[in-house]
Amino acid sequence: DVKVTQSSRYLVKRTGEKVFLECVQDMDHENMFWYRQDPGLGLRLIYFSYDVKMKEKGDIPEGYSVSREKKERFSLILESASTNQTSMYLCASSLSLGVGAFFGQGTRLTVV
Amino acid sequence: GIQVEQSPPDLILQEGANSTLRCNFSDSVNNLQWFHQNPWGQLINLFYIPSGTKQNGRLSATTVATERYSLLYISSSQTTDSGVYFCAAPVQGAQKLVFGQGTRLTINP
């Protein structure tokens, strides 16, 4: 089975902190994604990566950056956390979207 | 871009009942996925079903690509089936999934 693992299930950070959310997949997938999920807004794509060191902006990249130094790991970085970044963050990977995506367990981030 | 709409938004049933969840999409797709988001927030893959019918235990899904809809059937519902069900389709030419708004299913004992 594909396994996508996010480093934390719950995280509380202070405004202005630099925050790293880590995601690791074990299936040698080319593509990795970061989504955030908010009530009433559904799942929105922040960034995705289709190869090591390659990244593309999604629908809501402002305030975020990403890093993909190794194929199995995709990190989401909040350079200076703000309260409006309080959300559920979901990482996913796929060999190709034509054959489906697999999600991690999610990280519920609270910025205070 | 592609629009994905799910209905109903909420569904409350007694244990043992059957349910049908619907997903409509605005453009032709080469993949359609169904997910179950459990109470802890994880999205669990249920089906990858670009067309036809698939079954997995009490769950089955049918996609009629020519008519741009997919149905998820849950038979003999259990309380553990509760959660939010999402369908999602990839955007043509882009590495991006578009999600519906979800159907919140509550199964009461």
Side-chain angles (χ1 to χ4, degrees), chain A residues 2 5 10 12-13 21-23 31 35-36 39 41 59-60 62 68 70-71 74 79-80 86 89 93 97 108:
Chain A
V2 175
T5 304
Y10 299 98
V12 180
K13 295 292 182 181
L21 302 183
E22 307 285 349
C23 176
N31 306 298
Y35 287 84
R36 65 177 280 179
L41 296 175
D59 298 321
I60 50 164
E62 297 78 19
R68 191 156 180 213
K70 294 185 177 181
K71 192 174 188 179
F74 192 34
E79 296 289 343
S80 177
T86 291
Y89 290 88
S93 76
L97 283 185
R108 204 170 288 277

Side-chain angles (χ1 to χ4, degrees), chain A residues 22 31 34 40 50 53 59 61 72 77 82 84 89 105 112:
Chain A
E22 307 285 349
N31 306 298
W34 276 105
Y50 52 90
K53 297 190 186 294
D59 298 321
E72 67 270 20
I77 303 155
S82 63
N84 63 12
Y89 290 88
Q105 78 274 31
V112 297

Side-chain angles (χ1 to χ4, degrees), chain A residues 81-94:
Chain A
S82 63
T83 54
N84 63 12
Q85 292 178 309
T86 291
S87 186
M88 172 69 122
Y89 290 88
L90 294 159
C91 173
S93 76
S94 74

Side-chain angles (χ1 to χ4, degrees), chain A residues 96-101, chain B residues 25 29-33 47-50 88-90 97:
Chain A
S96 158
L97 283 185
V99 296
Chain B
F25 37 94
V29 297
N30 59 8
N31 181 17
L32 194 288
Q33 276 193 272
F47 293 102
Y48 149 69
I49 182 164
L97 278 176

